Amino acid sequence: SKDKIFYGVYSDVRDVDTATPVYIHGYQVGTVISIDPIDEDVSKIKIGFKVKNEIRLPEHTVAILRSSNPLGGKEITLEFDKMCDGDNCAEPGQILKSKELGIVSSMLPASELKPVTSTIAGTIQETLESLGDKDSDAAVHRSFQSLATALESLAASASTMEQIMDKSSRHIEKTVANMSSVSANLVNYNDNITGILENLEVISAELKEASLSNTISNANNTLASAQSAIQNMEGVLTETNTAVNELQNVFSKINEGDGTMSRMLNERELYDNLEMTSKNLSLLLQDLRLNPKRYINVSVFGKKQKAYTIPENDPALDRDDDQN
């Protein structure tokens, strides 16, 4: 390559790489080709860049490392009055005078930056001098006044909070003491708690080893049988209710009707007559059994019938006694 190589030394080469461009008044004349620290002073970094062969740089050329845009990126700008011709030209491989500019200095030339900074400084000075002015309507003054009011309110709130804390300090101390007592009790009962946990672990192991699935299955079968029995019982209860309803209807008919059963239940005279008839029939049958000759008399030779003799313990006498 016929391009010439020059160097510049800088303290901060952040965002500089081997593709960083080199400009003369906005015209690109080369690129960075190397970035190496200086062995004698590691705080300095030497950047090598190539320049087109037809560009003749004077010895007093300044290689300025500056920001290419506010979002990042760097570039090297070569500044000089005019190109050299003869012995006053920089030799290839020479270290040029170097300079670094910040973002603001990179964006604005020094001639434009000075009036802007002067104006900004004056405005800041006036603002600082008028801070706290009650008659000012500027937003910054209102902000400071609001801030002062907020600080006063904060101070009042802090005072109120301090009073509340003073009143609550006793309760807090008592609560802390109770917590300490609870902690002491836990420490004292640590062995008991350990024993309970061990027992729970043993019970858990026994439950794990037990045939819970079979027990649950048997319980499910038992529940199913119980449900079936309950269903059968519901059927029996239904049939029983039906029978009870029918029996109630029968009793209702007997009680409200005019048949024999109804009269026997409701008319005392008919009941007494039936009872007396039944008793007389029983007496007749008993007398027929005890004295058959009284009712059946077969006479072959024409003998006269004997006179009736009242037997001992005649049941008819019981009837007389009952009637009397």
Side-chain angles (χ1 to χ4, degrees):
S1 175
K2 296 181 180 180
D3 294 337
K4 301 173 185 177
I5 298 177
F6 298 94
Y7 296 94
V9 178
Y10 307 95
S11 60
D12 187 357
V13 295
R14 190 178 309 167
D15 297 332
V16 178
D17 53 33
T18 54
T20 298
V22 178
Y23 295 99
I24 296 177
H25 297 292
Y27 171 67
Q28 185 172 355
V29 295
T31 55
V32 173
I33 60 173
S34 65
I35 303 173
D36 301 298
I38 298 177
D39 296 336
E40 296 81 5
D41 187 2
V42 293
S43 64
K44 301 294 183 180
I45 305 298
K46 184 171 69 172
I47 295 179
F49 53 90
K50 63 181 180 178
V51 178
K52 294 179 180 181
N53 186 42
E54 62 270 19
I55 302 299
R56 297 185 300 276
L57 299 178
E59 292 181 347
H60 61 273
T61 301
V62 180
I64 302 174
L65 179 63
R66 61 196 308 167
S67 298
S68 59
N69 58 72
L71 300 179
K74 293 292 183 68
E75 64 182 27
I76 294 177
T77 300
L78 301 177
E79 290 188 355
F80 52 89
D81 296 336
K82 62 180 179 178
M83 290 187 183
C84 65
D85 185 13
D87 297 336
N88 61 344
C89 292
E91 296 293 332
Q94 181 179 341
I95 298 178
L96 302 178
K97 185 179 179 180
S98 305
K99 185 178 179 181
E100 299 177 40
L101 296 180
I103 296 177
V104 176
S105 299
S106 299
M107 298 297 104
L108 292 175
S111 58
E112 298 180 6
L113 182 61
K114 186 175 181 180
V116 173
T117 54
S118 300
T119 302
I120 294 175
T123 303
I124 294 175
Q125 183 66 27
E126 292 178 359
T127 302
L128 292 176
E129 291 177 353
S130 60
L131 282 178
D133 189 359
K134 297 182 180 180
D135 298 330
S136 177
D137 293 332
V140 65
H141 300 294
R142 291 198 300 270
S143 299
F144 273 99
Q145 291 174 1
S146 300
L147 179 60
T149 303
L151 291 175
E152 292 177 357
S153 300
L154 182 60
S157 300
S159 177
T160 304
M161 182 62 68
E162 185 178 359
Q163 294 176 1
I164 293 174
M165 292 298 295
D166 290 338
K167 293 180 181 179
S168 303
S169 59
R170 296 180 181 177
H171 300 287
I172 294 173
E173 291 177 356
K174 186 179 293 184
T175 302
V176 172
N178 293 334
M179 292 179 65
S180 178
S181 177
V182 171
S183 300
N185 292 332
L186 289 176
V187 172
N188 294 332
Y189 288 96
N190 187 33
D191 295 337
N192 295 334
I193 295 173
T194 302
I196 292 172
L197 293 177
E198 291 177 353
N199 293 333
L200 288 175
E201 185 177 358
V202 172
I203 293 172
S204 177
E206 292 178 354
L207 289 175
K208 183 178 180 181
E209 295 176 357
S211 300
L212 291 179
S213 59
N214 295 333
T215 304
I216 294 173
S217 178
N218 294 333
N220 290 332
N221 294 333
T222 303
L223 290 175
S225 300
Q227 290 178 353
S228 178
I230 290 172
Q231 292 177 355
N232 295 333
M233 183 64 70
E234 289 178 353
V236 172
L237 290 175
T238 301
E239 294 178 357
T240 302
N241 290 331
T242 303
V244 169
N245 292 331
E246 294 179 354
L247 186 60
Q248 287 178 350
N249 292 331
V250 171
F251 280 125
S252 178
K253 291 180 181 179
I254 292 174
N255 188 35
E256 296 177 359
D258 55 357
T260 303
M261 290 296 294
S262 177
R263 291 181 179 179
M264 288 179 64
L265 293 175
N266 299 322
E267 296 182 8
R268 180 69 183 180
E269 183 178 357
L270 177 60
Y271 171 78
D272 293 338
N273 291 335
L274 289 174
E275 185 180 7
M276 185 178 295
T277 302
S278 176
K279 190 171 184 179
N280 290 333
L281 180 59
S282 177
L283 293 173
L284 176 62
L285 292 175
Q286 185 177 7
D287 187 62
L288 178 62
R289 180 178 62 81
L290 296 175
N291 302 294
K293 295 180 180 181
R294 182 185 300 173
Y295 302 97
I296 302 174
N297 187 7
V298 180
S299 177
V300 180
F301 300 102
K303 293 183 179 181
K304 295 183 178 179
Q305 186 178 0
K306 294 181 179 181
Y308 175 75
T309 303
I310 298 174
E312 295 180 359
N313 300 324
D314 188 354
L317 296 177
D318 296 336
R319 186 190 66 177
D320 296 337
D321 294 338
D322 294 337
Q323 291 176 353
N324 294 333

